[in-house]
Amino acid sequence: MPALSPPFRRALTALLLAVVVLPSAASAAVPTSVPVARDRAAAAGDRAAVTGDAASSTVLLVGVTGLRWDDLSTVGTPALAELAATGAVGSTVVRSVRSSTCPSAGWLAVGAGGRADDTRAADGSCRTLAEPDVTGRVPGWDDFVAATDASAYDSRLGLLGDAVAAAGAVATGIGPGAAIALAGSDGAVVGEHVDLPGTTDALRDATAAALVGSSLVVVDAGSVRDPGRAMRDRAAGDEADAVPADPTQVDATGADPAQAIGPEVVAEPDRAEQVRAVDARLGAVLDAARAAGDDPTVLLVSVADSGRRAHLQVGAATGPGTAPGLLGSASTRQPGLLQTTDVAPTLLDALGIREHAAAGALVGAPVRVAPDDRSSADRVAALVDQNRRAQAVAPRVSGFYVLWVTLNLVLYVVVTVGLTRRGRSLLAWVRRRSRARSAVPHPGEEQAQARGVLQALRVAAVAVAAIPVATFLANLVPWWRAGAPGWVLGPLVAALALLVAVAAYAVPAWRRTPLGPVGVVAAITAVALGLDVALGARLSLDSLMGPGSLVAGRFYGFGNPALALFVTATILGAVAVVDPLVRRGRRRAATAVVALVGVLALGVVSGIVSTTPTTGANFGGPPVVVAGFLVLVVVTAGARLGWRRLGLVVAAGISASVVLSVLDWLRPADERTHLGRFVETVLDGGLGGVLLRKAGTNLRILLGSEQTLLAIGGLLLVVILLGRPARSALRAADGGPYAWLSGGAPLRALTTDAPLLVGGLTALAVALGFGFAINDSGVVVPATGVGLAVPLLVAACATWLLGRNARPPAESDPGHARVLS
C-alpha cells in the first residue's frame, strides 16, 4: 500500500480531529439547554414555573383523553378557556405503540414514562376504564403487561407508582385513569384512591380533600370519544377476542389495519356534549385547586386520542410562578410540543424523587415553559394550526412516495432501456419518422434530434432530483390552511422543484459543465436542510419527507430520509466543487476543500452548528458523514482505496458515534438526546432490546415500504448498467448504443472529463451502505440517497453528452461520420 501523501495526511487529520474536538468545543461554547430555555439559569427558572417548589407545593395532574384545542370555546369550555388565558399551553403528542392511542394506553404511558399498550379487541374498540377492584388492583393489568411486553418498547409499567412508594410520598388518585397512572408494577394502586364522583360538586369536594396532605394528586376528568368510537367493557372471557399488539402490522405511514374494523354508528352524546362534561369536571378541579391553602401547580394533559385518527391533544399548566407561554420539553425540543412520556419525569422532578426511578427507564423529559409574547388567543390559534398541518400531511406521505418512486423508475427506464433499444423506444420511433420525411438523413438533423433528447432528459432529471428539497421548502407556505390542501401542496412542490431546476441552469457556465447542475441542486438541498436543522427543524417537521409529529419518532435533528438527502447532497456537491481542481492537477487544494466540507457537514449533523444544540440527535448521522468524507478525501488525494483503508474508514465512523454518544451522555439527564440515552440504556443492560427493535423496524420497512421499491429500482439500474450491453457500450470506441447521443465519443471519456465522479460515487456508496447498516429503518437511507443521486447522475451524463454532441463533425472522432450515416 502506498504511503499517504502529506496533503492527504493533513486533510485526514483535520477530519478526524473534528470528530473529537468540535463536540468538546461546542459543549463549552454553546449552551446545552433545551430550546425553550436560553441558558441553564433560564432552564432552572422554567422548571420551577412548571413543577413548582417540591418542598412547599402540591402537584395536581388532571388527565383527560380526546380533548383538542379546536374544542376550545369561551361558552362551551369556560374552564379550559380560563386555563389557556392564564397559564402556559402546548400540544400533547400521545402516540403510543399504535398509530392511535386508546385511553388505557395513554394512562399507562403516564405511569410508565414510556410507550405502553393494551391488548387489541377483535372489533378494534378501546377498553372502558374501570375502578380498582376490592383488592386495590387495576382491572386488566395482566393484559397491559402482556401487550406491552409484546411490543417493541422496553417500558416499565408502574414506574411512577413504584417511585412514589419507594420515596414514601403521599399520593391520591381520583378516577380509573388515575388508578392506572399510580399503579405499581404489580398492578396495585399506590397511595389513596377515590372512585370518580358522579357530580361536579362531589368531584370538587373530593379534589379539595385530596389536596390536603397529598404531595401528588392525579384526577381522571373523563374522556371525549368520536362518533362510533365508544369504549367497550372487557368482561372475563374477552381475552379470546383480544390479540397482543403486533408492531409489524403498522405500515410505513403509521396506519393501523385495525382502523378498518368496527361499526361506524353515531353514538350519543355527541362530541360537543362530551367536551362540555369534561370541561365541567375540569372547572370543578380548578375550583378546588384555587381554594386550596397551598396553591398547587396544575398540569392538564390529554393523554389519548378520541378515535382511530391521531391528533395533537391539549396540554396546559398553571400555578405559582408559571408565566403564560408555550409548553415543551427536551424530548421534542419544539416549543409548543410535549409528549405523554414527559409527564412522569415532570411529576418525579416536582416531588424531588426522580432518583427512585430506574436509571434509563424514562424516555421523556420534564415539561418546560418557553416565554411567548403573543396573546393567549394567538398561542392557541398557533397550536390549532400546528395540528391542522399534521393532519393535512399525514395521509399524503404514502401517495407522495409512490409518485416520487414512479418518477424515478420512469427515469431509470428511459435511460437504461429507452435510449439504447431503438426499436422498442419512443425515441427510435421519432428517428424513424424523421427518416421517412427524408430519404437521406442529414447529419445536422441527427445532431438536432440528439440535442433535443438530451436537453429534455437533463431538465427532467434535475427536476426529479429537486423534488426532495422542494417538499421541505413547501412548508414555507401555509398550504395546509387551504380548503383542499392536497390540491395546493402538489402544485407547490412541483413549482418549487422547477424553480430549483431553473436555478441549476441559470448560469451558462453551469450548463456547459457536466457536474454544474449536480453542484447547484446538491448545494441548494444541503444548505436548505442544514439551515433548517440548525434553526430547529421547523420545515422538516410534518413535511412529506420529514418526521411527523403524530408519529412521535423524531422532532428535531435529521430523520433518516433527511440524513440521506443531506449526506448525498454534500458529497456530490463537494465532488462538483473540487472536480475542476482535480482536473487541473491541484489535488492538494481539492483535498483541503473536501476535508473542510466534511467538517462542516459533521458539525451540522452532530448539531454543533445549531442555535438549538442537538448533539447526538441521530445515532447514524456522524458515522455516515465521517465514512463518506474519509473515502472522498482518500480518492481526492489520489490514494488507492484498499481494504485496509476501508477498514480504517469503518472504524473511524464507529468511533465518531462512540465519542459523540459519550459526550452526550455526560450532559445532564434532561438534556441528553438519542445518543446519550442509548449509552444509558447500554449501561442499564437494555442493549439487546434496542438492537432487536431496530432490526425489527428495518425488516418491517424492507418488506413493506414504497421506498423499498425505490431501492430495488436503483439496484436494478446498477445491475443493468454493469451488464454486458453496458460494458460493451463503455468499451466501444464510438459509444456503442449511445453513439447517436455522444456524437461518436466513447462513454469512458466521461471519467476523463470528470475525473472525481467515480470516486465520489464510491464515497457515496460507502456512506449510504454505512447508513443502512447502523440505522433503524436503515433501508430508507440508501433508498432515499439513490432517489437523489441517480437523477443527478443522469443530468451530469446528459450535460456531458450535450457537450460532445454539440461539437462539429470535424472535431469529433473519426467514427463520427459513420455513426451519423
Side-chain angles (χ1 to χ4, degrees):
M1 184 178 68
L4 300 182
S5 61
F8 168 70
R9 287 199 301 269
R10 286 193 291 269
L12 182 63
T13 301
L15 192 57
L16 289 175
L17 285 177
V19 177
V20 178
V21 176
L22 278 181
S24 303
S27 299
V30 182
T32 56
S33 58
V34 297
V36 298
R38 286 179 294 274
D39 51 38
R40 294 190 183 276
D46 288 343
R47 180 180 297 112
V50 176
T51 62
D53 185 352
S56 61
S57 179
T58 300
V59 178
L60 172 59
L61 171 65
V62 185
V64 297
T65 66
L67 188 63
R68 306 192 297 262
W69 283 116
D70 53 12
D71 293 319
L72 177 68
S73 70
T74 304
V75 176
T77 59
L80 183 60
E82 179 186 357
L83 191 58
T86 59
V89 296
S91 290
T92 306
V93 181
V94 299
R95 176 65 180 260
S96 190
V97 174
R98 307 181 196 173
S99 59
S100 61
T101 302
C102 285
S104 55
W107 282 107
L108 285 169
V110 171
R115 298 192 184 190
D117 200 16
D118 190 1
T119 50
R120 181 179 306 188
D123 64 356
S125 63
C126 293
R127 177 194 301 266
T128 299
L129 304 185
E131 303 286 359
D133 58 26
V134 294
T135 66
R137 199 167 187 265
V138 173
W141 188 259
D142 292 338
D143 289 345
F144 302 156
V145 173
T148 302
D149 288 346
S151 73
Y153 298 94
D154 188 24
S155 298
R156 306 187 185 187
L157 298 187
L159 180 145
L160 176 62
D162 288 343
V164 169
V170 180
T172 302
I174 303 176
I180 295 175
L182 290 175
S185 56
D186 58 355
V189 178
V190 173
E192 298 292 327
H193 180 78
V194 178
D195 291 354
L196 183 65
T199 66
T200 55
D201 289 341
L203 177 59
R204 182 185 304 108
D205 294 340
T207 304
L211 289 171
V212 177
S214 296
S215 56
L216 173 63
V217 177
V218 181
V219 179
D220 178 359
S223 296
V224 177
R225 302 298 298 170
D226 291 342
R229 303 304 177 197
M231 293 185 287
R232 187 171 71 87
D233 291 335
R234 300 256 183 108
D238 278 358
E239 289 75 13
D241 294 329
V243 293
D246 183 0
T248 65
Q249 297 301 311
V250 180
D251 63 26
T253 67
D256 192 340
Q259 293 183 4
I261 305 175
E264 295 288 347
V265 296
V266 177
E268 295 295 342
D270 63 16
R271 182 176 184 86
E273 291 178 279
Q274 296 178 71
V275 169
R276 284 194 294 270
V278 168
D279 188 77
R281 297 190 195 100
L282 174 61
V285 173
L286 293 178
D287 287 344
R290 281 190 291 266
D294 185 10
D295 192 13
T297 296
V298 179
L299 180 63
L300 168 67
V301 181
S302 180
V303 301
D305 293 301
S306 58
R308 291 176 180 165
R309 184 176 181 180
H311 283 267
L312 297 177
Q313 302 290 315
V314 159
T318 187
T322 303
L326 290 175
L327 296 179
S329 78
S331 72
T332 66
R333 305 200 176 205
Q334 296 286 351
L337 282 181
L338 62 146
Q339 302 186 76
T340 49
T341 53
D342 297 328
V343 176
T346 303
L347 299 180
L348 293 172
D349 263 18
L351 299 173
I353 60 173
R354 188 165 182 177
E355 68 275 8
H356 292 278
L362 295 170
V363 300
V367 175
R368 304 282 189 260
V369 177
D372 191 282
D373 295 333
R374 291 174 294 182
S375 66
S376 60
D378 289 340
R379 286 194 294 270
V380 171
L383 297 177
V384 171
D385 190 61
Q386 190 176 46
N387 183 49
R388 185 181 303 160
R389 172 171 152 180
Q391 294 297 315
V393 75
R396 292 173 174 85
V397 172
S398 179
F400 162 76
Y401 275 110
V402 170
L403 178 60
W404 189 50
V405 165
T406 301
L407 291 175
N408 272 273
L409 292 178
V410 169
L411 188 63
Y412 300 167
V413 171
V414 168
V415 172
T416 60
V417 178
L419 297 184
T420 58
R421 302 181 183 276
R422 303 181 185 179
R424 299 174 57 188
S425 68
L426 177 62
L427 298 175
W429 177 81
V430 172
R431 296 193 66 209
R432 289 198 302 271
R433 293 283 300 221
S434 175
R435 289 176 184 273
R437 292 195 299 268
S438 175
V440 180
H442 192 276
E445 186 177 357
E446 288 277 336
Q447 280 188 310
Q449 291 176 12
R451 284 197 299 271
V453 168
L454 291 172
Q455 287 170 351
L457 178 63
R458 71 172 183 173
V459 170
V462 168
V464 171
I467 289 177
V469 70
T471 63
F472 294 92
L473 296 176
N475 277 349
L476 290 170
V477 180
W479 57 268
W480 56 90
R481 297 174 189 169
W487 291 102
V488 176
L489 179 60
L492 178 60
V493 171
L496 290 170
L498 290 176
L499 185 62
V500 173
V502 169
Y505 296 108
V507 178
W510 298 346
R511 296 197 296 267
R512 293 191 296 268
T513 304
L515 299 183
V518 172
V520 175
V521 176
I524 293 175
T525 301
V527 170
L529 294 179
L531 283 177
D532 179 50
V533 168
L535 296 175
R538 305 298 173 82
L539 297 182
S540 299
L541 188 63
D542 288 322
S543 65
L544 288 171
M545 298 191 73
S549 59
L550 299 176
V551 178
R554 178 179 296 277
F555 298 90
Y556 58 89
F558 281 108
N560 284 335
L563 172 66
L565 294 173
F566 181 77
V567 171
T568 301
T570 51
I571 289 178
L572 293 182
V575 169
V577 169
V578 304
D579 186 75
L581 295 175
V582 174
R583 206 162 51 241
R584 294 195 294 268
R586 300 180 58 187
R587 287 190 175 271
R588 177 179 299 181
T591 304
V593 172
V594 169
L596 176 61
V597 174
V599 170
L600 292 175
L602 179 61
V604 172
V605 169
S606 63
I608 296 168
V609 184
S610 174
T611 59
T612 56
T614 55
T615 302
N618 189 312
F619 180 84
V624 168
V625 171
V626 170
F629 272 93
L630 281 180
V631 171
L632 190 56
V633 164
V634 170
V635 297
T636 303
R640 182 176 177 274
L641 183 65
W643 287 108
R644 181 178 178 182
R645 284 176 178 160
L646 189 59
L648 291 175
V649 166
V650 172
I654 296 175
S655 299
S657 275
V658 172
V659 170
L660 290 172
S661 298
V662 173
L663 287 173
D664 193 48
W665 175 71
L666 293 174
R667 300 163 69 187
D670 294 343
E671 297 175 4
R672 293 172 186 162
T673 62
H674 295 70
L675 281 187
R677 289 196 291 269
F678 175 75
V679 173
E680 186 67 37
T681 300
V682 172
L683 296 176
D684 200 39
L687 177 62
V690 172
L691 294 179
L692 288 175
R693 183 172 71 248
K694 288 180 178 291
T697 303
N698 238 333
L699 181 63
R700 181 171 69 252
I701 293 181
L702 182 63
L703 299 178
S705 171
E706 296 88 355
Q707 297 186 44
T708 303
L709 183 60
L710 180 63
I712 293 174
L715 292 176
L716 287 176
L717 173 65
V718 173
V719 171
I720 293 173
L721 290 178
L722 293 179
R724 182 176 299 176
R727 290 198 299 270
S728 299
L730 290 173
R731 288 196 299 265
D734 61 355
Y738 296 97
W740 70 287
L741 296 173
S742 67
L747 298 184
R748 61 178 177 272
L750 175 59
T751 60
T752 301
D753 292 346
L756 197 56
L757 181 59
V758 174
L761 294 177
T762 302
L764 181 59
V766 171
L768 296 180
F770 213 95
F772 170 75
I774 65 176
N775 281 284
D776 54 358
S777 64
V779 70
V780 174
V781 175
T784 307
V786 165
L788 175 62
V790 172
L792 290 179
L793 179 60
V794 170
C797 292
T799 303
W800 177 78
L801 288 172
L802 269 172
R804 287 286 180 170
N805 187 272
R807 296 182 182 182
E811 298 180 12
S812 300
D813 296 325
H816 183 77
R818 177 177 57 80
V819 172
L820 295 179
S821 62

